[in-house]
Amino acid sequence: MLTLDQVRSKSTTRLIGLHPVVMAAATVLIERCYKRGVPILITQGLRTIAEQDALYAQGRTKPGNIVTNAKGGTSYHNFGLAIDFALLLPDGKQVSWDLKRDGDGDKVADWSEVVQEAKALGFEWGGDFVSIKDAPHFQMTFGLTTSQLRAGAKPSEIAMAKATAVIDRLKEEVKEDMSRIEELEAIVVKQDERLATIEKRLNISGKETYAINYTEAITAAKAVGAITTSAEKSKIELNVIQMLYNMGLFAKGDK
């Protein structure tokens, strides 16, 4: 299973250039989705005007299907206020855009879980768009239109403060939850170590060796039909055989 650090690192370069509040929200989105068992990859962040124009040309003057109605300068990606994502598959290399995939097996589509977390963080979802629905798309507009952004408008301090408060609150929830997970993982490791020690002491595998030589007791037990084989005996079984032998229940010297 991929660790949270591994999942986060795969999106690092795509977060470069995003508005600081959007970058913080995207980071917490990755963390909260991971906590729910749904690792994601941020596939797109800041997009240049030229990149946007090229995308707009797709399906119009260039081959492919139409995927956007936004020309250069009319997408929130162009201002670092939007991200696109995909579901990160268990191998950590491939991604999926399957809206019905339930990789964590909780009977809820992974995509829906990501959308739920994104909206809680204050993102608008492209799947709610009226014209061309954009399921992998999230944006945080701070109440500004792209026309205002092109004219030089910036998110207000109040809008950013409100968004940051929500993000920080959800981030703290992630920290608390991850702390509990780490505690549980540590307990599991200790229990595994304890069980391994107990199994070794009990010779569960029948492969441990001990100072006591049980050969004579086993031979006597087999001779009277108490056991049929000496293979794969646990420490407890060997001790019981030895005890019964010492009590004279198996005739000593029987071969």
Side-chain angles (χ1 to χ4, degrees):
M1 178 180 177
L2 295 171
T3 66
L4 177 56
D5 285 340
Q6 288 174 324
V7 173
R8 273 193 301 235
S9 67
K10 291 181 179 297
S11 294
T12 301
T13 57
R14 277 90 170 190
L15 301 181
I16 297 173
L18 289 175
H19 185 284
V21 176
V22 177
M23 180 186 293
T27 301
V28 176
L29 177 63
I30 294 169
E31 294 170 350
R32 288 182 66 85
C33 290
Y34 179 86
K35 184 195 72 174
R36 294 184 66 161
V38 184
I40 64 172
L41 175 71
I42 303 303
T43 59
Q44 182 81 70
L46 177 66
R47 190 182 294 150
T48 67
I49 300 296
E51 289 171 336
Q52 188 66 41
D53 282 334
L55 195 61
Y56 179 79
Q58 184 175 316
R60 294 183 173 89
T61 59
K62 292 184 178 180
N65 297 321
I66 292 177
V67 293
T68 181
N69 281 333
K71 295 181 179 180
T74 64
S75 168
Y76 286 99
H77 278 288
N78 303 146
F79 304 96
L81 300 180
I83 58 173
D84 292 338
F85 83 97
L87 302 174
L88 186 61
L89 298 183
D91 63 4
K93 298 178 181 179
Q94 301 181 75
V95 295
S96 171
W97 285 272
D98 182 356
L99 275 61
K100 296 182 180 180
R101 175 180 167 78
D102 181 21
D104 57 348
D106 62 356
K107 308 300 182 184
V108 179
D110 295 345
W111 205 274
S112 296
E113 294 184 78
V114 179
V115 171
Q116 181 182 7
E117 292 295 341
K119 288 185 174 181
L121 283 161
F123 280 112
E124 297 173 12
W125 179 42
D128 292 329
F129 290 172
V130 176
S131 56
I132 296 180
K133 295 188 179 297
D134 192 356
H137 179 90
F138 296 123
Q139 62 187 35
M140 196 171 285
T141 69
F142 301 100
L144 297 172
T145 66
T146 55
S147 296
Q148 291 172 316
L149 292 166
R150 286 198 305 276
K154 303 292 183 183
S156 69
E157 294 294 332
I158 294 177
M160 289 191 294
K162 287 181 177 179
T164 299
V166 172
I167 295 166
D168 287 346
R169 176 174 58 81
L170 296 180
K171 183 177 182 179
E172 285 304 312
E173 289 182 8
V174 173
K175 286 183 178 179
E176 292 176 4
D177 290 340
M178 292 306 297
S179 178
R180 294 192 191 99
I181 290 174
E182 289 174 356
E183 289 176 4
L184 290 173
E185 288 177 341
I187 291 173
V188 170
V189 169
K190 288 183 179 179
Q191 291 295 341
D192 285 345
E193 293 174 348
R194 184 166 175 265
L195 286 173
T197 300
I198 292 173
E199 287 182 358
K200 184 174 182 180
R201 290 181 61 188
L202 295 179
N203 192 28
I204 298 299
S205 67
K207 297 178 181 178
E208 300 296 336
T209 57
Y210 302 91
I212 298 176
N213 188 336
Y214 299 95
T215 303
E216 187 174 343
I218 288 174
T219 300
K222 288 173 67 177
V224 298
I227 60 174
T228 57
T229 176
S230 57
E232 299 295 324
K233 291 291 185 291
S234 71
K235 181 69 182 305
I236 291 176
E237 290 174 308
L238 291 172
N239 283 342
V240 169
I241 292 170
Q242 185 67 46
M243 178 182 67
L244 295 176
Y245 176 66
N246 291 344
M247 292 172 64
L249 298 183
F250 308 142
K252 292 186 177 181
D254 286 350
K255 303 294 183 182

